[in-house]
Amino acid sequence: METNVNPATSQNPRTKTRIVEGVPRRKVKWKNILTYAAFVGPALIFFLVVQIIPFLMGVYYSFTSWNGVSSVVEWVGLANYKKIFTNDDAFFNSFMFTTKFMFAAVIISNLIGFGFALLLNAALKTRNILRTVFFLPNVIGGLLLGFIWQFIFVKGFASVGAMTGIPFFQLPWLGDEKTAFWGIVIVFAWQISGYMMVIYVAALQGVDNSLLEAARIDGASNFTLVTKIIIPLILPAFTICFFLTISMAFKIFDLNLSLTGGGPFNSTQSVAINIYQEAFQYNRYGLGTAKSIIFFVVVAIFTTVQVMATKKREVEA
């Protein structure tokens, strides 16, 4: 039996699919765009207002002689940069101090943090309490921490040295250039090691214990386990920790300000303190922003080289 099909009422399934699915797809697309804008938009605006726009304004002011107060902004071109590179020994001395401090602080902080992580990764009954104790200094603000340790160095160590006669406690910790340098390193490492410990602990918990057990059965020592198996497996954690400690050490300000204030005789003055004094104490805002741009470029170079080098080691491992 032949069935009559009315062409006017017939529908092509493909056409019908396009019509039915086409409209919802456009609606879903706009819905997704609006959803992303609602979540990402405020954060993006906040980032632009707080980070990008001030940075671009700082680049502009670095080519001016603005004092930070006057409404008159005079364009001076590269004069600020020429002055920094030809006639600003204090800035380069602060750079040398900050660079030496960065290397010492990064090595010591990561060694302590990794050591704490290895200790807490073991089956200790008190490891949860120890994690809290080791991480607690990172919660304390830099200024408060600096004043606490200033009291410890000046009053506490002096009292212990007078009672025991131990030369270590009788040193002029904040009154001499060398001991003041190591005093800042000690406090920085004490503050930041707990933070590094948390990252290393998270990485160690991802290591397959069967690999370690197999290596122990083959006669590997604990030192071999750490250097040949554990460290290569958690190299991404080292990349993160090195990046964080390098950037934090370079940008040290509040701890340095509260401990020594840059003294004695500006021997422990960090770059951040030098820029702060230039811009807000001496009212040379244009010169201060020029120093900050140079500082930004140097820190970016250091961190980029470090990340590239450690990422390369990750691939090789």
Side-chain angles (χ1 to χ4, degrees):
M1 181 176 180
E2 184 177 351
T3 305
N4 294 325
V5 179
N6 188 352
T9 59
S10 64
Q11 292 179 341
N12 188 337
R14 294 183 180 179
T15 306
K16 182 178 180 181
T17 302
R18 290 196 190 101
I19 294 173
V20 173
E21 293 181 356
V23 176
R25 282 178 181 175
R26 287 196 293 269
K27 289 183 179 180
V28 169
K29 182 178 179 182
W30 279 106
K31 183 179 179 180
N32 290 337
I33 292 174
L34 293 176
T35 303
Y36 294 150
F39 282 97
V40 179
L44 181 61
I45 294 172
F46 186 78
F47 179 73
L48 289 172
V49 172
V50 175
Q51 295 287 341
I52 303 301
I53 294 177
F55 175 77
L56 296 177
M57 291 177 65
V59 173
Y60 166 73
Y61 285 126
S62 69
F63 296 102
T64 68
S65 61
W66 188 42
N67 60 8
V69 179
S70 174
S71 59
V72 179
V73 180
E74 182 182 356
W75 182 268
V76 295
L78 296 173
N80 290 329
Y81 293 94
K82 291 179 181 178
K83 184 177 181 180
I84 293 171
F85 285 107
T86 58
N87 191 26
D88 199 334
D89 294 336
F91 181 66
F92 282 97
N93 290 335
S94 66
F95 237 119
M96 291 300 297
F97 164 79
T98 307
T99 304
K100 290 191 298 183
F101 169 79
M102 183 271 296
F103 281 112
V106 167
I107 294 171
I108 295 174
S109 299
N110 282 279
L111 283 176
I112 296 175
F114 184 61
F116 284 165
L118 289 175
L119 176 65
L120 297 180
N121 197 50
L124 297 176
K125 294 182 179 180
T126 59
R127 61 182 178 181
N128 292 329
I129 298 175
L130 291 176
R131 285 180 187 179
T132 305
V133 172
F134 293 152
F135 184 77
L136 191 61
N138 189 70
V139 180
I140 306 175
L143 282 174
L144 180 60
L145 195 65
F147 287 126
I148 292 173
W149 273 91
Q150 186 185 66
F151 175 81
I152 293 173
F153 281 130
V154 176
K155 300 294 184 181
F157 279 18
S159 300
V160 174
M163 290 187 296
T164 61
I166 300 175
F168 177 83
F169 295 104
Q170 295 176 339
L171 295 172
W173 276 98
L174 301 181
D176 181 73
E177 178 181 351
K178 293 182 179 179
T179 53
F181 170 83
W182 287 110
I184 299 173
V185 171
I186 289 170
V187 179
F188 179 86
W190 185 77
Q191 180 189 26
I192 210 69
S193 295
Y195 187 30
M196 300 302 106
M197 174 202 69
V198 172
I199 299 174
Y200 286 128
V201 166
L204 288 173
Q205 289 179 347
V207 176
D208 190 356
N209 287 327
S210 62
L211 295 175
L212 303 180
E213 292 298 331
R216 289 192 182 97
I217 293 172
D218 290 339
S221 63
N222 290 331
F223 180 78
T224 304
L225 287 176
V226 172
T227 56
K228 300 299 182 180
I229 298 178
I230 293 178
I231 291 180
L233 288 175
I234 65 168
L235 278 178
F238 281 94
T239 301
I240 297 171
C241 290
F242 283 157
F243 175 82
L244 291 175
T245 48
I246 287 173
S247 58
M248 290 177 183
F250 261 123
K251 296 184 296 182
I252 184 173
F253 175 76
D254 48 0
L255 202 61
N256 189 196
L257 183 66
S258 57
L259 271 175
T260 63
F265 306 108
N266 292 332
S267 60
T268 62
Q269 185 185 73
S270 66
V271 177
I273 290 182
N274 183 274
I275 294 172
Y276 168 79
Q277 291 178 346
E278 194 72 63
F280 300 106
Q281 290 187 2
Y282 306 146
N283 291 329
R284 293 193 286 260
Y285 195 88
L287 188 60
T289 51
K291 290 182 177 182
S292 67
I293 297 301
I294 296 173
F295 184 43
F296 166 78
V297 172
V298 172
V299 174
I301 291 173
F302 265 90
T303 52
T304 302
V305 171
Q306 173 263 313
V307 170
M308 290 176 63
T310 51
K311 283 290 184 181
K312 184 179 179 181
R313 292 295 299 273
E314 289 178 26
V315 174
E316 292 176 352

